[in-house]
Amino acid sequence: MIRTILTGIFAIILQALCAQTRGPFPVISDPDGTLSVKQGFVEVSFGSLYYEEIGEGEPLIFIHSHPFTHHLWDAQLHYFAANYRVIRYDLRGYGSSTSQMEYIQFTHAEDLMHLMHALAIDKAHIVGVSTGGSIVADMIAWCPEKVSTAVIVNGYISKDK
């Protein structure tokens, strides 16, 4: 089952990446209108992260790539909300999250851990593309107990534990 889920996620990610150059493809809507998107901000050191969440079940966190925002995952939001608690957010320096400041040292993985803590998430399925994939890799290296499953598309491990 996990393999089927991951294969489906990977196919949807590839469609989303292709859509960035071809133009957007239709967002899968909530047919009965029962799901609503919760929006908010989570405080991190010297800033805040904008996030959206929808659905119930096991947490599934989507992390965008540079130079995009949480909107990279528009097509996946409602699709996966039927079975998961889906969270997507803007990395620090992107979209509605706090801008990066030259003199502030932080890691995106630490920001993700703050987000998970603030949203009472002990463990999550995490999907990341490019920069987001590197953040997923860092999470696996630094705190594997927080990662149920991971999908990394074009990411790398940036630091040692």
Side-chain angles (χ1 to χ4, degrees), residues 107 137-138 140-143 156-161:
T107 67
D138 285 345
I140 293 168
W142 292 352
C143 46
Y156 59 91
I157 295 174
S158 60
K159 292 189 176 208
D160 293 333
K161 185 173 181 178

Side-chain angles (χ1 to χ4, degrees), residues 64-84:
H64 65 83
S65 61
H66 171 79
F68 304 106
T69 66
H70 69 278
H71 289 293
L72 176 67
W73 305 106
D74 282 348
Q76 290 75 31
L77 192 64
H78 287 283
Y79 180 84
F80 285 100
N83 297 300
Y84 294 92

Side-chain angles (χ1 to χ4, degrees), residues 71-104:
H71 289 293
L72 176 67
W73 305 106
D74 282 348
Q76 290 75 31
L77 192 64
H78 287 283
Y79 180 84
F80 285 100
N83 297 300
Y84 294 92
R85 175 184 175 196
V86 178
I87 295 103
R88 64 181 183 171
Y89 70 103
D90 286 333
L91 297 173
R92 190 185 302 224
Y94 297 84
S96 297
S97 291
T98 301
S99 296
Q100 294 182 21
M101 293 179 264
E102 234 178 275
Y103 59 91
I104 301 298

Side-chain angles (χ1 to χ4, degrees), residues 54-67:
I54 187 172
E56 295 179 4
E58 293 181 58
L60 170 61
I61 301 172
F62 287 109
I63 309 172
H64 65 83
S65 61
H66 171 79

